[in-house]
């Protein structure tokens, strides 16, 4: 009795310490004291002050033993009225921090972006409904065919969509799709893999109907009372995918991406906590407070957009695998051109590989013609950037009412400007790259830092400048001269974001004849009338100083090929290159089998010790003083070599070794894929942090695990 009393007193008197994650790049977690009467657990949201500033933190550890320096610990400020972070979320953060060598605070910062508001759903719904009634009445009264009527109708559609997003009690009729025989077979193989507890790759050509398979699996998850997440590389390019998912899942479908407003994102965040859902989103949707996931799909798994290019440099595809495992969900990767990493996992028996090699609307596979521009020049077969063969094929296609899409991987008019007198190429004052000439603005533009300047005489000798290398603007101009009757548009990074949708929509509707653009055009779109696709200057895609260049070139060109010949019609791909005997083109032309190309690439990777046979980590070092950068990067590379952490390459300058006034060096580490890997990574992180603080050089080194 007395004993129990003493225990209670001791508990009452005990100071309670917690460890809190704050959204900062800290490699340790600050301790706080819990004020009397405040109760928290791991995952609770809490207000704290750190270094004199208020933060919204997350309790990482509740009731921990006192820290070494007890006197310095201050009290937490208050409870934050936000829902808890779930254990699965915390585990995912921990994985990312460990794997990508960043702090948990950095992960927290991107996982829970500030500005997520608490939402009163029913109040918001009532407001929207009121506004809808009002607009409906006004639209009734407005005269037919007027601008006012059109604006009202558009506002009504908009409101209806918003209401549908919020109100999941609305009924909806899923369009019932019947799967083809090939799809059914593929689905069977996928189910078998899932039963064995394996993730799977759906290796399906463009137009084979992978989406329908995703839909079937997602509705299966919903019918089992579980939820689904479908990841896409870029939301802007998945409009058609969204339409099809929307037709099927109605208000159960939520889209999520970083360009949404805080309110839009809050609606999704709120819904996944409480409702049955299918989320279609970009890589950041792995951080939603997911509940009971039954299916995680990564569409276009090979796509580089899954990798975040600032810290934490995580790969959404690979983290999605971890997320799926945490929830015990089925994990499916989809691609027409799977990455070597995924193929490696299939070959190792970790993933099941299921093929879907038949187009849903029958085989209208694009014919391929590789045009050797060097040979054509000699025969006088080129008109500007267009070969006579391509011109003839475009003419034929247009005459038959078909559409043409032309890929040129560089935007601008001229990709560089050279002095006709001294041969100098005009470079950006802040970056070590040539400036491109943009004819519409009449300016020289740096594509790395955005610097602009007027076109003047040669900066060294005053001579006249001349354009070299043609970009999309030049191609557009030449096409307009060659096909004056054609309706032509261009789509690239210079096209205003607001105009992009309109251009792809009008092309899809057949209101344009020729569309010219960069890689942006290659992904995701379904253009029913597209018969001819062409790549001009395809060499810029291959042979870069990048061991993945060939793999990427095949992915881009195959996707381009997949755009044509949809809906059972035969399409055609024409590629203009000066290196027509390159293996990439041989593969496209059907002169070598994809299995052979795959094993060739694999053999090269293995021989040179590249991923997926090894793990690669790039240390990217930057400084505005080149000498200091040189010295410190040499020093660090030396330390890494002595520490015996993997194989050390460099320091070497990257292809562009100065961007926005900052010089860059890379130290590349390759490590064996074995049990020591995570130990080596820990050692690396400790060494780099120690180096940064010893040389007072914090923030100059960024670590890129599995660089792309
Ligand atoms: P992928 O994603 O593999 O490139 P899609 O899913 O876009 O292929 O399918 C190509 C076309 O075939 C689309 O227009 C789609 O609507 C249609 N399609 C695929 N499967 C079915 C099906 N089972 N029933 C009806 N149409 C289908
Ligand atoms: Zn620049």
């Amino acid at each position: 009795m007395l004993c129990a009393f003493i225990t209670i007193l001791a508990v009452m008197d005990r100071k309670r310490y917690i460890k809190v994650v704050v959204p900062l790049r800290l490699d340790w977690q600050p301790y706080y004291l819990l004020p009397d009467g405040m109760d928290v657990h791991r995952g609770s949201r809490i207000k704290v002050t750190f270094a004199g500033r208020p933060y919204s933190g997350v309790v990482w550890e509740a009731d921990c033993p006192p820290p070494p320096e007890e006197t310095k610990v201050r009290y937490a400020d208050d409870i934050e009225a936000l829902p808890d972070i779930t254990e699965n979320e915390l585990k995912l953060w921990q994985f990312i921090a460990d794997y990508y060598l960043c702090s948990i605070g950095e992960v927290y910062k991107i996982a829970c972006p500030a500005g997520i508001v608490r939402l009163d759903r029913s109040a918001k719904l009532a407001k929207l409904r009121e506004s809808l009634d009002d607009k409906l009445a006004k639209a009734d009264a407005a005269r037919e065919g007027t601008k006012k009527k059109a604006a009202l109708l558009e506002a009504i559609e908009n409101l209806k969509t918003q209401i549908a997003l919020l109100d999941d009690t609305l009924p909806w009729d899923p369009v019932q799709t019947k799967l083809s025989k090939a799809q059914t077979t593929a689905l069977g193989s996928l189910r078998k893999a899932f039963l064995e507890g394996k993730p799977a790759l759906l290796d399906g050509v463009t137009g084979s109907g992978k989406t329908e398979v995703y839909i079937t699996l997602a509705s299966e998850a919903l019918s089992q009372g579980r939820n689904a997440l479908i990841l896409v590389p870029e939301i802007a390019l998945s409009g058609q995918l969204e339409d099809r998912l929307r037709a099927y899942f109605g208000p159960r479908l939520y889209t999520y991406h970083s360009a949404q407003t805080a309110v839009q994102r809050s609606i999704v965040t709120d819904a996944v906590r409480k409702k049955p859902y299918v989320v279609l989103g970009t890589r950041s949707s792995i951080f939603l407070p997911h509940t009971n996931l039954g299916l995680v799909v990564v569409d276009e798994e090979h796509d580089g957009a899954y990798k975040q290019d600032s810290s934490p440099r995580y790969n959404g595809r690979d983290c999605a695998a971890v997320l799926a495992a945490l929830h015990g969900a089925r994990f499916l990767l989809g691609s027409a051109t799977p990455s070597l990493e995924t193929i490696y996992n299939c070959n190792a028996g970790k993933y099941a590989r299921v093929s879907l090699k038949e187009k849903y609307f029958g085989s209208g596979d694009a014919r391929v013609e590789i045009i050797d521009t060097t040979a054509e020049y000699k025969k006088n077969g080129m008109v500007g950037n267009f070969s006579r063969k391509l011109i003839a094929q475009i003419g034929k296609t247009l005459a038959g009412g078909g559409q043409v899409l032309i890929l040129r991987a560089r935007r601008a008019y001229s990709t560089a400007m050279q002095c006709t007198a001294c041969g100098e190429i005009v470079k950006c004052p802040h970056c070590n790259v040539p400036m491109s000439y943009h004819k519409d603005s009449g300016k020289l533009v740096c594509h790395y830092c955005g610097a602009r300047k007027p076109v003047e005489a040669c900066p060294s000798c005053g001579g006249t400048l001349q354009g070299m290398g043609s970009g999309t603007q030049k191609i557009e101009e030449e096409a307009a001269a060659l096909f004056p009757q054609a309706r032509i548009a261009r789509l690239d990074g210079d096209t205003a974001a607001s105009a992009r949708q309109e251009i792809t929509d009008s092309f899809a509707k057949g209101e344009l004849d020729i569309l010219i653009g960069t890689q942006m055009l290659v992904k995701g779109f379904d253009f029913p009338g597209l018969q001819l696709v062409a790549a001009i200057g395809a060499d810029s895609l291959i042979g870069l100083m990048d061991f993945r260049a060939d793999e990427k070139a095949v992915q881009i060109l195959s996707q381009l090929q997949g755009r044509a010949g949809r809906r059972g019609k035969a399409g055609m791909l024409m590629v203009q290159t000066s290196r027509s005997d390159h293996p990439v083109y041989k593969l496209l032309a059907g002169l070598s089998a994809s299995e052979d190309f795959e094993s060739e690439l694999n053999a090269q990777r293995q021989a040179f010790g590249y991923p997926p046979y090894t793990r690669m980590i790039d240390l990217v070092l930057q400084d505005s003083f080149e000498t200091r950068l040189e010295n410190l990067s040499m020093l660090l590379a030396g330390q890494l070599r002595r520490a015996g952490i993997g194989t050390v390459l460099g320091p070497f300058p990257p292809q562009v070794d100065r961007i926005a006034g900052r010089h860059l060096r890379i130290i590349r580490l390759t490590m064996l894929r074995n049990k020591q890997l995570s130990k080596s990574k820990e050692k690396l992180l400790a060494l780099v942090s120690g180096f940064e603080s010893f040389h007072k050089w914090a923030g100059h080194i960024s670590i890129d695990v599995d660089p792309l």
Side-chain angles (χ1 to χ4, degrees), residues 25-27 93-104 106-107 311-314 616-619 645 669 671 677-689 692 701-706:
R25 189 185 167 177
L26 289 180
D27 50 14
W93 298 2
Q94 175 83 64
F95 164 79
I96 292 175
D98 291 347
Y99 189 88
Y100 294 98
L101 302 178
C102 60
S103 72
I104 293 199
E106 284 173 286
V107 186
S311 186
R313 296 169 183 257
Y314 69 98
M616 189 176 271
I617 299 179
D618 276 355
L619 302 179
I645 307 174
L669 291 128
M671 299 177 176
L677 186 65
S678 65
K679 278 250 151 45
S680 308
K681 281 165 85 172
E682 265 173 43
K683 224 166 125 182
L684 170 69
L685 185 62
L687 197 149
V688 169
S689 319
E692 276 191 325
I701 305 175
S702 74
I703 304 181
D704 190 356
V705 178
D706 299 342

Side-chain angles (χ1 to χ4, degrees), residues 575-591:
V575 180
Q576 292 192 173
T577 166
S578 61
R579 304 172 60 180
S580 58
D581 58 349
H582 193 281
V584 164
Y585 303 124
K586 289 236 160 83
L587 172 73
L588 280 167
L591 298 176

Side-chain angles (χ1 to χ4, degrees), residues 177-180 183 204-212 214 244 299-300 356 360-361 526 563 566-567:
T177 44
K178 234 181 123 280
L179 296 185
S180 69
Q183 284 169 323
V205 295
T206 320
S208 59
K210 294 188 286 296
T211 312
E212 249 43 59
Y214 303 159
R244 276 159 63 202
D299 191 29
E300 309 284 0
L356 193 54
Y360 181 77
F361 289 111
D526 186 4
R563 297 303 115 209
R566 290 175 86 86
R567 306 278 155 108

Side-chain angles (χ1 to χ4, degrees), residues 157-340:
E157 276 317 300
N158 224 322
L159 283 166
K160 280 186 179 163
T161 316
Q162 286 186 50
I163 290 171
L165 277 175
L166 274 178
D167 186 355
D168 47 19
T169 60
L170 284 178
W172 87 98
D173 299 319
V175 187
Q176 284 303 44
T177 44
K178 234 181 123 280
L179 296 185
S180 69
K181 226 175 127 199
Q183 284 169 323
T184 312
T185 312
L187 196 64
S189 312
L190 292 175
R191 288 210 186 93
K192 187 165 164 276
F194 296 142
L195 267 180
E196 291 166 12
K198 267 190 195 177
L201 163 68
L202 181 58
D203 178 1
V205 295
T206 320
S208 59
K210 294 188 286 296
T211 312
E212 249 43 59
V213 175
Y214 303 159
I215 288 177
T216 309
L217 290 171
S219 58
E220 245 169 59
L222 285 184
S223 67
Q224 289 162 4
R226 304 184 73 184
N227 301 307
L229 169 65
I230 300 176
L231 291 181
V232 285
E234 280 158 81
I235 211 84
L237 301 173
S238 56
Q240 288 164 340
L241 175 60
E242 182 183 341
D243 291 347
R244 276 159 63 202
L245 293 173
R246 176 81 58 207
Y248 197 89
F249 295 108
R252 294 275 184 274
L253 180 75
Y254 297 86
T255 54
Y256 187 84
H257 54 92
S258 51
Q260 284 173 320
T261 63
V263 173
Q264 288 170 321
R265 276 185 285 139
S266 307
I267 291 173
V268 186
T269 309
D270 197 49
V272 301
R273 284 200 177 95
K274 299 170 194 154
K275 316 242 167 211
Y277 65 85
V278 175
V279 163
L280 172 71
T282 51
R283 59 172 187 260
S284 57
S285 32
I286 59 167
F287 294 119
L288 283 165
H290 288 291
T291 42
N292 200 12
L293 278 173
L295 174 75
V296 177
V297 175
V298 182
D299 191 29
E300 309 284 0
E301 64 86 20
H302 61 273
D303 200 299
Y306 283 118
K307 183 89 199 262
Q308 167 135 319
D309 57 10
S310 57
S311 186
R313 296 169 183 257
Y314 69 98
N315 186 319
R317 171 194 65 198
D318 301 338
C319 295
V322 174
L323 177 69
L326 284 170
H327 285 260
R330 295 167 161 192
F331 184 57
L332 176 62
L333 301 167
S335 176
T337 50
S339 64
L340 279 192

Side-chain angles (χ1 to χ4, degrees), residues 392-434:
Q393 194 63 36
I394 295 176
K396 216 166 115 189
T397 307
L398 295 181
Q403 288 174 300
V404 180
L405 190 147
I406 301 172
L407 168 76
R408 169 67 185 135
R410 300 263 185 282
R411 62 194 172 93
Y413 188 82
S414 305
T415 52
M417 291 292 257
Q418 188 172 31
C419 173
T420 50
C422 73
E424 171 150 323
I425 290 175
V426 184
K427 285 194 170 167
C428 170
H430 318 288
C431 311
N432 195 10
V433 284

